[in-house]
Every structure is written in structure tokens, then in C-alpha cells.
Amino acid sequence: MSHFGENLKRVREDRNISQRELALKARLGASTIEKYENNEQIPDTQTILKLSTVLDIPASELLEREMINHHPAGIDSEIEQLIKEIGPKRTKLILRKAKEFSEDDFLRVMQMLYEVKYEK
């Protein structure tokens, strides 16, 4: 779990959240967050789950040995920005559902989204 602190810091910074903000949202002390990020203290399972919920990231990703810093080739900056805006959970949900659609299904869904947004 020695990579937890590095992963926590990276995700927190990616979300533009200060240690203090994260501490408040997770109901922890700011010094506790600092200790986690510096690998001076290891959180218990409940705390890891709480932090993952606040940061909108699966706990398993916080615990991974190495988080992938760069996306695979082919993912442009606009897609990266969209993922940041809607969050990884929602992105994964949308993509899982979208891959089940046929081309016709996808076009119908896009038409429905357009109508909901612009034809109120």
C-alpha cells in the first residue's frame, strides 16, 4: 500500500482539491491527509472507501501499485477534459452502455438527447 499516498495526492490535485477541502469532505483532519500523502500513516479500509467516494474514484485505483499518468494513444485532450468534467464513474457507465448499442441505437439516442436539450 506504499503507493496509496502518491495516488491520493495525484487524484486530489487532478480534482483541484486542497488537503483541507478533502479533509472536510471526508470528515478527517487535514494533518491526517498530509500523513497519508507522505506515506507516514496508512488509512483503514473504511477511510479508503470514504476517500474514494469523495474523490469519485474506485478504491482499487487508489490502491494500485502504479496509476497510469498518460492515457493510451488516441485519447485527445477534449476527451480527457470531458472525463474530468463528468467524472470517471459517470464516464465508465456511459461508455459501458454505449458499447452495447448498435449504430442505429446510438443515432436514436443522440437524436433523443438533442430533442431533450433543444426542443423543450
Side-chain angles (χ1 to χ4, degrees):
M1 189 170 329
S2 62
H3 296 279
F4 175 83
E6 296 165 22
N7 294 343
L8 178 64
K9 183 175 182 176
R10 185 176 303 118
V11 172
R12 178 183 59 75
E13 289 175 346
D14 286 348
R15 305 280 194 282
N16 294 317
I17 299 173
S18 69
Q19 286 181 340
R20 181 169 162 68
E21 288 175 287
L22 179 57
L24 286 171
K25 290 180 180 182
R27 297 181 183 221
L28 299 168
S31 63
T32 302
I33 300 297
E34 184 178 2
K35 288 177 184 176
Y36 292 158
E37 289 184 358
N38 292 329
N39 291 313
E40 296 170 7
Q41 188 174 333
I42 298 172
D44 61 19
T45 305
Q46 287 301 103
T47 304
I48 292 170
L49 293 173
K50 192 184 306 183
L51 290 167
S52 71
T53 300
V54 169
L55 293 169
D56 191 30
I57 186 171
S60 60
E61 290 185 31
L62 285 174
L63 298 171
E64 286 179 358
R65 184 173 185 146
E66 291 181 36
M67 289 187 71
I68 299 171
N69 292 328
H70 303 288
H71 296 288
I75 297 182
D76 63 20
S77 59
E78 184 180 5
I79 293 174
E80 286 185 52
Q81 183 61 37
L82 288 168
I83 291 169
K84 284 181 183 177
E85 288 175 15
I86 66 172
K89 266 186 190 173
R90 292 172 85 189
T91 302
K92 288 177 186 177
L93 178 64
I94 290 167
L95 291 174
R96 280 190 198 114
K97 290 298 178 188
K99 75 178 187 177
E100 298 170 4
F101 290 170
S102 69
E103 187 68 25
D104 288 339
D105 291 339
F106 188 76
L107 292 173
R108 281 197 310 265
V109 167
M110 294 306 296
Q111 180 62 36
M112 288 171 42
L113 290 172
Y114 179 85
E115 290 170 2
V116 166
K117 178 73 176 174
Y118 298 105
E119 297 178 9
K120 295 179 180 179

